[in-house]
């Protein structure tokens, strides 16, 4: 149900729960409370629900990745040794059409589910009036007020834009803007080799774009098991990605006649026709007027929470990217379910699972659950390593993956499984078997 149009601003509507934000955490929290009979209002600024999970992050980026693999014939290059790409010159419309179709479909599915659960949706910008009341300001300038016995803040995060980059130029992008490209760049500089930067670097490299990946560190995704990190870096280099380690951009010149000129901390320069800046994210809390609710945000707007994802104000909860790492869609949804189970004494979801898998959709995929070899060494745990190479398995040969492998870490004295690490085709699915 959509509550749009002019309404008496003095009217106050009361709900058991008011959810601010229609992303993964917000929709999961709203759905959980509504499924158990509670009156729920969900406030979302965008026209469609889904947030970073469906509209601007998880689903779109993974869909672009699959599209790049299909259009470029990436998998067939090793399988048959020939180029079986669908098109030699793919257009930007070819690249983005499927992503837009999938995102729209997922958003509609979420909206249908919320409607079936009688969640009332309000489109507009939310801000606190007091700890129990949220003002919703709509596009036409009118507003209304919603009172919630409980409130869930799930406003997600936005890309952090460091100073010095001309984001107003149509060649300089953050990770949200990248989804609205009008021209496929020939030479792309990706600033920041974190998960988002690495995933997009692989996607564009698969499309034949010359990709330069810059980072101030000297290793790729250092939270991974070092052996996996090194194998991924080697695979990305084989895919055409050029790494520039221990480099930072000191100046970005968009007026250079040859393209965007990046001046680097080493004194080197790099000219390209596309720049993607991946410098982390900031919690989307600036406009919430949190002071009126009694909630004090931390660095980059992160909302601190305690057990059951409750803030310092007992009836206000927060979940998802807005509370900081790990900022994964599935984890955000679970956080919201835990929060709402506590808020309304719903049985069965007291806390998150002790072990949560990490899936990274680079090319090749990487996934892990549990401890890394380096962590076990630091803890002084006596362990045994087991490895299985895709190339030694018929399935690996069939799909043409000769670089992937599975790495298992066992505690020596009782052979308990402590860590699972996979790189290669379907790594994000294989890792779940270890749970």
């Amino acid at each position: 149900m959509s509550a749009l149009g002019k309404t008496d601003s003095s009217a106050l509507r009361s709900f058991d729960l008011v959810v601010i934000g229609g992303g993964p955490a917000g929709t999961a929290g709203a759905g959980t409370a509504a499924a158990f009979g509670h009156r729920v209002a969900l406030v979302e600024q965008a026209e469609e629900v889904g947030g970073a999970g469906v509209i601007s992050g998880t689903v779109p980026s993974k869909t672009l990745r699959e599209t790049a693999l299909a259009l470029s014939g990436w998998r067939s290059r090793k399988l048959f040794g020939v180029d079986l790409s669908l098109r030699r010159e793919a257009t930007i419309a070819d690249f983005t059409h499927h992503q837009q179709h999938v995102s729209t479909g997922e958003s509609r599915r979420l909206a249908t589910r919320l409607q079936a659960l009688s969640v009332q949706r309000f489109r507009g910008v939310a801000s606190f009036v007091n700890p129990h009341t949220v003002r919703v300001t709509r596009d036409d300038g009118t507003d209304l007020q919603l009172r919630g016995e409980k409130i869930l803040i799930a406003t997600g995060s936005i890309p952090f834009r460091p100073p010095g980059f001309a984001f107003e130029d149509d060649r300089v992008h953050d990770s949200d803007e990248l989804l609205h490209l009008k021209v496929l760049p020939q030479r792309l500089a990706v600033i920041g080799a974190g998960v988002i930067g690495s995933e997009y670097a692989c996607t564009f490299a698969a499309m034949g774009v010359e990709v330069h990946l810059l980072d101030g560190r000297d290793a790729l995704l250092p939270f991974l098991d070092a052996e996996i990190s090194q194998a991924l870096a080697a695979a990305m280099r084989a895919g055409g990605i050029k790494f520039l380690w221990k480099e930072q951009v000191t100046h970005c010149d968009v007026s250079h006649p040859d393209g965007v000129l990046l001046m680097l901390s080493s004194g080197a320069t790099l000219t390209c026709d596309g720049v993607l800046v991946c410098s982390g994210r900031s919690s989307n809390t600036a406009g919430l007027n949190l002071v009126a609710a009694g909630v004090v945000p931390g660095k980059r707007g992160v909302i601190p929470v305690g057990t059951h994802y409750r803030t310092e104000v007992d009836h206000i909860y927060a979940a998802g990217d807005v509370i900081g790492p790990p900022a994964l869609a599935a984890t955000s949804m679970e956080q919201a379910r835990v929060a709402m189970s506590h808020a309304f004494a719903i049985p069965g979801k007291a806390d998150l699972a002790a072990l949560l898998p990490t899936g990274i959709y680079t090319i090749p995929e990487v996934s892990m659950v549990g401890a890394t070899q380096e962590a076990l060494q630091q803890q002084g745990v006596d362990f045994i390593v087991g490895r299985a190479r895709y190339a030694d398995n018929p399935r690996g040969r069939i799909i043409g993956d000769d670089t992937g492998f599975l790495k298992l870490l066992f505690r020596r004295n009782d052979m308990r499984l402590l860590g699972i690490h996979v790189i290669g085709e379907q790594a994000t699915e294989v890792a779940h078997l270890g749970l």
Side-chain angles (χ1 to χ4, degrees), residues 359-431:
I360 303 172
Y361 288 84
T362 44
I363 301 173
E365 292 178 28
V366 170
S367 192
M368 64 172 284
V369 185
T372 65
Q373 180 171 329
E374 292 69 38
L376 295 180
Q377 290 169 338
Q378 291 173 4
Q379 297 165 14
V381 176
D382 190 11
F383 63 91
I384 295 174
V385 180
R387 296 180 183 83
R389 297 174 62 244
Y390 278 31
D392 296 332
N393 186 293
R395 179 61 178 162
R397 291 179 178 274
I398 291 169
I399 63 176
D401 188 333
D402 58 3
T403 59
F405 64 91
L406 167 68
K407 178 178 181 179
L408 302 178
L409 302 171
F410 300 90
R411 188 163 57 199
R412 186 181 295 273
N413 61 359
D414 59 3
M415 293 302 290
R416 179 175 179 175
L417 184 59
L418 301 177
I420 304 150
H421 306 274
V422 196
I423 180 170
E425 280 284 305
Q426 298 295 310
T428 53
E429 305 299 330
V430 174

Side-chain angles (χ1 to χ4, degrees), residues 26-47:
T27 53
T32 298
F36 283 85
H38 298 284
R39 295 188 68 242
V40 179
L42 186 146
V43 184
E44 169 57 48
Q45 182 176 355
E47 183 177 356

Side-chain angles (χ1 to χ4, degrees), residues 131-198:
H132 277 284
T133 308
V134 174
R135 176 184 290 110
V136 181
T137 303
R138 293 171 292 196
D139 288 345
D140 62 3
T142 62
D143 62 55
L144 56 87
Q145 294 187 4
L146 309 176
R147 186 185 189 282
E149 286 299 315
K150 308 289 183 181
I151 294 177
L152 172 63
I153 303 172
T155 47
S157 64
I158 55 176
F160 175 67
R161 289 186 163 191
F165 289 94
F167 288 100
E168 67 276 7
D169 190 282
D170 60 9
R171 297 166 297 177
V172 181
H173 313 277
D174 62 32
S175 57
D176 285 358
E177 286 184 334
L178 197 68
L179 296 170
H180 306 288
L181 276 178
K182 295 181 174 61
V183 178
L184 195 65
Q186 294 183 331
R187 198 179 203 205
L188 176 69
V190 180
I191 317 301
V195 172
I196 295 174
S198 296

Side-chain angles (χ1 to χ4, degrees), residues 12 29 49 71 74 79 115 126 199 209 229 245 333 340 374 382 407 418 422:
L12 182 67
V49 293
L71 289 176
W74 181 268
L79 194 59
Q115 185 176 19
E199 288 183 344
V209 175
S229 172
W245 296 116
M333 295 167 71
M340 295 301 92
E374 292 69 38
D382 190 11
K407 178 178 181 179
L418 301 177
V422 196

Side-chain angles (χ1 to χ4, degrees), residues 42-118:
L42 186 146
V43 184
E44 169 57 48
Q45 182 176 355
E47 183 177 356
E48 299 174 316
V49 293
V54 172
I55 305 300
S56 63
T58 306
V59 169
S61 65
K62 279 55 178 178
T63 307
L64 283 180
R65 176 186 183 274
E66 287 302 312
T67 303
L69 289 172
L71 289 176
S72 66
W74 181 268
R75 292 186 175 98
S76 67
R77 295 176 190 178
K78 283 189 176 180
L79 194 59
F80 304 112
V82 295
D83 181 3
L84 296 181
S85 58
L86 300 182
R87 295 172 175 84
R88 297 295 186 267
E89 295 294 335
T91 67
I92 193 66
D94 295 328
F95 190 40
T96 59
H97 173 75
H98 185 48
Q99 170 259 311
Q100 293 162 355
H101 176 72
V102 172
S103 293
T104 299
E106 271 299 292
S107 179
R108 288 174 180 168
R109 184 188 65 80
L110 280 174
T112 300
R113 181 172 183 273
L114 292 172
Q115 185 176 19
L117 290 169
S118 298

